[in-house]
Amino acid sequence: MSSDEGSPQLTPQAADASGRRTEPRVEASYLVRFRSIDDMVESYTRNISRGGLFIATKRFLPIGSIVRLNVELPDDKPPASVLARVAYVLGVEAAEARKSNAGMGMEFLHADHEVGRRIAEQLVRGLDPQPSDEPITADVLVVDDSPMYLERAASLARSLGHRVRTAKNGLEAIGLLMKEPADIVLCDVQMPMMDGWQFLRIVRSRPTLARTPVIFLTTLTGEPERLRGYQLGVDDYLGKPFDDEELAARIGRVLLRSKHRPSSSADRGALSGDLSLVSLPSVLSFIEAERRTGALLVISEPHIATLHIQAGAVHRVDLSTDVGLAGVERLFHVLDWTHGRFEFGPSDADVDDELKLPTSYVLMEHARRRDESGRD
């Protein structure tokens, strides 16, 4: 049987031909498939990171029944097998009232399960795919009012095998993109006629250009400027003067990430970036000021955290590994991460407020603790 869009696909499996069972007694066995990386991310942030999984079905088992879930992930490996208990049943009428899928909520019977580990690996690959041996040839647009930087970036892109066009300001660049879209744009920020901020706003507002990757090459490298760029949807930041090898690596990484990017990742309200460029406290301050609601995924290999946020306040922190912390101490732990990537996606998910503290207070307390530890 199949589930509705947005839930894993659920398929009953045949029983063991030998008829032999091990304790605890398994009432049923299911194969669970995720239709996309997006579905997997949603299941992770809402259920799996807390030790469970919701499966969409209209054939229900009694609460407390033990089942075997064989979870098939997009990693070319055999399904990950885990025992689970039926924790609750969401019937058809209740699901229709909540505008949700009918199904069963499963609680994993052991915490250290293979499912979470392999999903963590997939999330890391999804946000920052590993380079392949096949070179990516792209149409590159370089935008800069400085002839020196314009030619330097264009020459580097050509040396990498890319096809290159150039523009001296954002207005000229928009005209070129409307005639022929580019695969990636390398853009200065401070330019006449139309600066990089205005250029990026227009690019992200036009459906035909919204998914175009943009790298800012600029002398404006302060954290507020970087956060503003990520807010507007820039894909990466590199300060001037830049190193040619570093720019080549950034171009390759952004192109690879764009190639693997799910179509929904370009939704308005999304926010993503690099923790080495914008600190997590700054990201949370911005989200609080904007009173946004959603899930902030933070990946600092090999660790993953999901911060569930309501109207700008962090309500709950889920971690992929047990660090022996609870409540606000979990958030303090994640705020110490300085390397990795973050990705915020808006959602309407309602979660219990386990912190019961304003985010601004938590950030000030974290800064105070860090200052005190620095004096020791």
Side-chain angles (χ1 to χ4, degrees), residues 1 28 60 70 77 104-105 129 159 178 189 204 214 234 289 370 374:
M1 71 188 71
F60 308 120
N70 295 307
K77 295 180 181 179
M104 298 182 291
S159 71
M178 293 182 68
V189 173
R204 292 292 178 250
V214 177
V234 76
R370 186 173 54 188

Side-chain angles (χ1 to χ4, degrees), residues 144-145 188-192 194-197 217-220 240:
D144 203 316
D145 64 320
D188 186 23
V189 173
Q190 295 174 298
M191 298 179 293
M194 180 186 290
D195 62 22
W197 308 120
L217 306 178
T218 177
T219 56
L220 299 176
K240 290 180 178 179

Side-chain angles (χ1 to χ4, degrees), residues 257-280:
R257 193 182 301 143
S258 176
K259 180 180 178 182
H260 291 82
R261 178 184 295 164
S263 59
S264 64
S265 66
D267 290 346
R268 296 186 66 181
L271 180 70
S272 64
D274 193 321
L275 287 178
S276 65
L277 299 177
V278 178
S279 68
L280 189 55

Side-chain angles (χ1 to χ4, degrees), residues 5-158:
E5 188 67 31
S7 300
Q9 184 176 353
L10 181 66
T11 305
Q13 292 184 306
D16 187 353
S18 67
R20 291 178 296 181
R21 297 181 182 272
T22 59
E23 297 297 329
R25 184 175 183 272
V26 176
E27 300 289 342
S29 182
Y30 295 100
L31 176 64
V32 181
R33 291 191 182 98
F34 290 100
R35 300 187 184 198
S36 66
I37 293 290
D38 282 1
D39 290 342
M40 188 175 68
V41 170
E42 182 179 359
S43 288
Y44 178 86
T45 56
R46 291 192 179 186
N47 298 288
I48 295 176
S49 60
R50 289 176 66 89
L53 176 65
F54 181 83
I55 55 178
T57 179
K58 295 181 181 179
R59 297 175 60 183
F60 308 120
L61 294 174
I63 293 176
S65 299
I66 305 300
V67 302
R68 181 177 300 279
L69 301 177
N70 295 307
V71 185
E72 191 173 87
L73 304 173
D75 57 4
D76 299 323
K77 295 180 181 179
S81 180
V82 60
L83 289 177
R85 177 189 296 111
V86 178
Y88 67 90
V89 172
L90 185 62
V92 176
E93 292 184 2
E96 290 177 349
R98 295 173 54 177
K99 297 181 180 180
S100 178
N101 295 316
M104 298 182 291
M106 302 291 181
E107 176 188 9
F108 294 146
L109 294 184
H110 49 89
D112 186 18
H113 51 82
E114 183 185 3
V115 177
R117 177 183 61 80
R118 284 172 56 182
I119 283 182
E121 293 174 356
Q122 290 297 302
L123 290 176
V124 171
R125 293 193 184 99
L127 288 186
D128 206 354
Q130 299 301 307
S132 63
D133 294 331
E134 296 184 15
I136 300 177
T137 301
D139 290 307
V140 179
L141 176 61
V142 182
V143 190
D144 203 316
D145 64 320
S146 166
M148 181 186 71
Y149 280 115
L150 184 71
E151 181 54 33
R152 182 176 170 185
S155 296
L156 174 64
R158 292 190 188 98

Side-chain angles (χ1 to χ4, degrees), residues 169-199:
N169 57 63
L171 186 60
E172 183 179 342
I174 290 294
L176 292 176
L177 289 176
M178 293 182 68
K179 291 180 181 177
E180 183 182 353
D183 295 316
I184 187 171
V185 178
L186 312 179
C187 186
D188 186 23
V189 173
Q190 295 174 298
M191 298 179 293
M193 301 290 291
M194 180 186 290
D195 62 22
W197 308 120
Q198 295 169 311
F199 168 78

Side-chain angles (χ1 to χ4, degrees), residues 317-319 321-323 325-335:
V317 179
D318 294 336
L319 299 174
T321 54
D322 186 7
V323 294
L325 300 173
V328 71
E329 295 299 327
R330 283 192 168 198
L331 182 53
F332 287 143
H333 173 72
V334 178
L335 286 170

